[in-house]
Amino acid sequence: IQFIPDLNTGYELTDNYLKIATSTTYSELIEILSKGIDNLKHINRKTTISDISILEALDYMARRTAGRIVRNAATIGGNTMLVLKHIPTGTGEPFPSDLFTALFAVETKITYLLLDKNGSFKEHTKTAEALVEAIIKDPKLADEIVLTSYTIPLKDANDVALAQKVALREVNAHSIVNSTINFSINDELIVKSAVLVFGGIAPYPWRAATTEKAMKDKKLTLADAEKLTKILAKEVLEELD
């Protein structure tokens, strides 16, 4: 697919977003993210720290996926399709992609072509979350789309993203569970919004909505850690039940 021009459009990094082609390999993505992080560190503007945290969350997940030989060949689009194609019941074991969990959490927009009834492709763009919801609603959609690009928004100054994973080995191992959090926090450490996304809980990236709600408009403090952990544990168990 790297020889198809529409799927191999390179990348674009601006003050507001990073756009990458669906045929970008993991190794290429790591190089792009590394350049982006380095460039942002040398730009004297307020949003630098936030932007770097988003790119570093993606970089963390990309570097801990498979081994170098696989990363040299595997594409971002192919990895996403493994997730999407394993969402419907009866399609095999769910695929808990580390990178897709992070893309989902940082509100990445995915552009894709949809084959219509006339045999023509029409371009659509949805967030990763909205695309997952659409496939949950209509499982056949996963067989009718061709992903073309990803647009990763770069956020406000106090937005922070953090990626984590648990596996049997640090690299070259499927996650038992992975997560990416995406907080928007003001200067007084009040949580304006919280996105807590986990892979390995459901057949798709799963949001801890109850815990997110409990954090919103509250000051971020270690004193609340025990209470929030209990809320999170309860809703995870309810999802797994």
Side-chain angles (χ1 to χ4, degrees):
I1 66 173
Q2 290 182 330
F3 293 100
I4 302 174
D6 291 344
L7 307 183
N8 191 29
T9 54
Y11 77 95
E12 180 184 5
L13 178 63
T14 73
D15 288 349
N16 300 313
Y17 63 84
L18 168 63
K19 184 176 182 178
I20 57 174
T22 190
S23 65
T24 303
T25 66
Y26 268 77
S27 293
E28 290 169 342
L29 177 64
I30 290 169
E31 183 177 351
I32 291 167
L33 293 171
S34 179
K35 289 179 179 178
I37 292 167
D38 186 61
N39 288 343
L40 291 172
K41 284 180 178 178
H42 291 87
I43 296 175
N44 184 21
R45 60 187 181 84
K46 190 179 179 183
T47 57
T48 298
I49 294 176
S50 172
D51 295 349
I52 289 174
S53 82
I54 291 172
L55 299 185
E56 285 184 338
L58 297 171
D59 182 73
Y60 177 91
M61 291 303 208
R63 289 181 184 274
R64 283 160 179 78
T65 298
R68 186 179 297 273
I69 293 175
V70 172
R71 291 197 297 268
N72 286 343
T75 65
I76 310 308
N79 179 268
T80 296
M81 287 308 302
L82 279 173
V83 177
L84 301 181
K85 295 277 282 186
H86 285 81
I87 289 176
T89 303
T91 54
E93 289 292 321
F95 187 75
S97 164
D98 297 326
L99 182 61
F100 191 66
T101 296
L103 290 169
F104 188 104
V106 300
E107 301 174 334
T108 299
K109 292 183 178 179
I110 301 176
T111 298
Y112 61 92
L113 301 175
L114 175 62
L115 188 63
D116 64 22
K117 295 180 180 179
N118 298 320
S120 300
F121 282 104
K122 185 176 181 181
E123 187 174 89
H124 298 262
T125 300
K126 292 183 183 292
T127 63
E129 182 173 11
L131 182 56
V132 165
E133 290 173 350
I135 290 175
I136 292 172
K137 183 177 180 180
D138 180 13
K140 293 183 296 182
L141 182 62
D143 295 321
E144 299 171 347
I145 61 175
V146 177
L147 309 184
T148 59
S149 66
Y150 299 75
T151 302
I152 302 153
L154 301 180
K155 296 286 190 171
D156 295 332
N158 292 333
D159 287 13
V160 178
L162 175 66
Q164 298 172 299
K165 67 177 286 184
V166 176
L168 296 178
R169 297 180 299 277
E170 183 177 356
V171 295
N172 200 16
H174 282 299
S175 290
I176 298 170
V177 65
N178 57 44
S179 71
T180 300
I181 62 173
N182 186 12
F183 289 149
S184 179
I185 308 171
N186 67 18
D187 292 336
E188 287 73 44
L189 298 182
I190 303 299
V191 178
K192 296 188 292 181
S193 67
V195 178
L196 308 176
V197 181
F198 294 83
I201 305 297
Y204 43 82
W206 172 81
R207 285 186 65 170
T210 304
T211 309
E212 292 174 357
K213 185 177 180 180
M215 299 184 73
K216 191 176 187 307
D217 298 325
K218 305 289 179 55
K219 187 171 184 177
L220 189 63
T221 170
L222 285 175
D224 290 334
E226 182 178 1
K227 179 183 70 175
L228 293 170
T229 299
K230 289 179 179 178
I231 294 172
L232 177 60
K234 183 175 183 294
E235 66 174 324
V236 168
L237 290 173
E238 289 173 350
E239 178 66 28
L240 293 173
D241 189 3

